[in-house]
Amino acid sequence: MKLSIVYSTHQTQFQAATLSGSLEENLSRIAELGYHGVELAIRDPNLVDINNLDTILKKSGLKVPAIGTGQAWGEEGLSFTDPDHSIRKKAVDRILSHIPVAHHFDSVIIIGLIRGTLKPNVSHPQAIEWLVEALQTCCKKAQEFQVRLALEPINRYETSLVNNVTQGLELIAAVEAENFGLLLDTFHMNIEEPDIEESILKCGQRLFHFHVADSNRWYPGAGHLNFQSILSALSAAKYRGFISGEFLPFPNVDEAASKNIEYFTSILPTINVQ
Ligand code: LER
Ligand code: MN
């Protein structure tokens, strides 16, 4: 089991884990805690010195399993389903600009809130049509670089577009691209899925990335989700990717990040590996 943790290269409104200090100090701290990877939330690749990032990552020994892109929505309002064509185009261009970076670090590109949410006077079929069109453009380009895209079903309180695995699989059928799959997040699944383990199995080989937080969005072990059973389902689904911690920085970032590692290490012997 490979563990990673979400880390943002810039300050943002939604801060899953904000370590204070320089990028170099933070990545070396993440590696010291025992993580194998760091999931980088990058609003705009043009704002990041990729060579410097590469040097620091090599020093830390951390892999980058996935790149989060949702800040382009949170901070700039870019979305695949905005009624304004120029905003949809900017959103697509932004994802296209992540592709060479994702290729370099061998990362999955996450399509989270950049898909947008249903805006007034836009019908659901229209929004899905725009979404499919944008995803097809991005997947086609990504395929040239052997890069995969993973859309994250997100709970109803954050978006009205694609809240669960069933809707995610419908989207996969419409996009028709081998390099398009899903990122499942236990926090959202706990709200939206009828059965978390069944939904993981339904997703099967289209599960490209996995986020963990407990029911209260604290680190795993701080709430009431059954991670033994969830990890067994991941194993049965033959998921070989990272288990990426995306939880609130409570009681503080350092404690949350180390409790996550301690918790998974402690339950590992109890997991029914298929
Ligand atoms: C991002 O991975 C996520 O889970 C969202 O809830 C962020 O708003
Ligand atoms: Mn998530």
Side-chain angles (χ1 to χ4, degrees):
M1 186 180 53
K2 295 171 289 184
L3 294 174
S4 56
I5 189 161
V6 173
Y7 178 77
S8 176
T9 56
H10 287 77
Q11 282 294 318
T12 70
Q13 293 171 38
F14 172 72
Q15 208 73 66
T18 331
L19 292 160
S20 54
S22 71
L23 182 69
E24 187 158 4
E25 282 164 359
N26 290 337
L27 295 193
S28 95
R29 171 102 183 98
I30 287 170
E32 269 167 33
L33 283 171
Y35 286 95
H36 309 101
V38 61
E39 177 183 319
L40 294 174
I42 301 179
R43 173 160 72 80
D44 183 346
N46 286 319
L47 303 176
V48 180
D49 179 344
I50 302 297
N51 289 331
N52 179 44
L53 183 59
D54 194 43
T55 309
I56 293 173
L57 279 163
K58 283 203 177 104
K59 259 195 220 165
S60 71
L62 293 168
K63 303 268 181 242
V64 183
I67 293 175
T69 61
Q71 292 171 11
W73 155 266
E75 313 287 320
E76 297 173 66
L78 303 188
S79 113
F80 285 171
T81 54
D82 195 284
D84 181 338
H85 174 262
S86 70
I87 293 181
R88 297 203 299 278
K89 184 175 181 319
K90 273 191 196 156
V92 169
D93 288 344
R94 181 62 57 84
I95 295 299
L96 294 177
S97 75
H98 280 281
I99 293 173
V101 183
H103 172 73
H104 183 85
F105 292 121
D106 194 18
S107 321
V108 168
I109 296 177
I110 298 173
I111 307 296
L113 287 172
I114 198 164
R115 68 165 142 313
T117 189
L118 214 51
K119 288 264 176 101
N121 304 320
V122 177
S123 70
H124 191 267
Q126 174 64 84
I128 295 292
E129 196 182 311
W130 285 333
L131 180 55
V132 169
E133 213 177 274
L135 288 167
Q136 284 175 333
T137 305
C138 295
C139 287
K140 193 165 174 231
K141 187 76 197 165
Q143 189 60 52
E144 292 169 23
F145 288 76
Q146 290 100 44
V147 166
R148 298 185 302 164
L149 268 69
L151 182 125
E152 179 176 30
I154 289 180
N155 78 76
R156 68 190 69 188
Y157 306 107
E158 293 187 55
T159 178
S160 46
L161 291 170
V162 196
N163 304 121
N164 57 43
V165 167
T166 303
Q167 292 162 351
L169 292 174
E170 281 166 13
L171 193 62
I172 286 175
V175 172
E176 294 185 291
E178 284 304 311
N179 60 338
F180 181 53
L182 299 183
L183 149 60
L184 299 183
D185 179 327
T186 55
F187 173 72
H188 302 302
M189 296 186 93
N190 185 47
I191 298 170
E192 298 293 347
E193 303 299 332
D195 180 315
I196 293 181
E197 291 80 0
E198 278 297 315
S199 296
I200 289 171
L201 292 172
K202 251 172 75 178
C203 197
Q205 291 299 297
R206 290 295 181 138
L207 179 54
F208 287 0
H209 192 53
F210 201 73
H211 278 169
V212 284
D214 218 319
S215 48
N216 45 9
R217 220 174 196 179
W218 279 46
Y219 57 84
H224 57 74
L225 289 186
N226 183 346
F227 282 98
Q228 276 100 333
S229 162
I230 290 170
L231 291 193
S232 295
L234 286 173
S235 156
K238 299 194 166 42
Y239 177 70
R240 300 280 179 265
F242 277 71
I243 309 284
S244 208
E246 184 192 50
F247 34 77
L248 296 169
F250 298 144
N252 58 66
V253 176
D254 284 86
E255 200 171 327
S258 48
K259 290 265 191 194
N260 180 50
I261 291 267
E262 273 169 39
Y263 177 73
F264 280 113
T265 313
S266 76
I267 65 166
L268 209 52
T270 67
I271 292 159
N272 170 24
V273 177
Q274 313 252 333

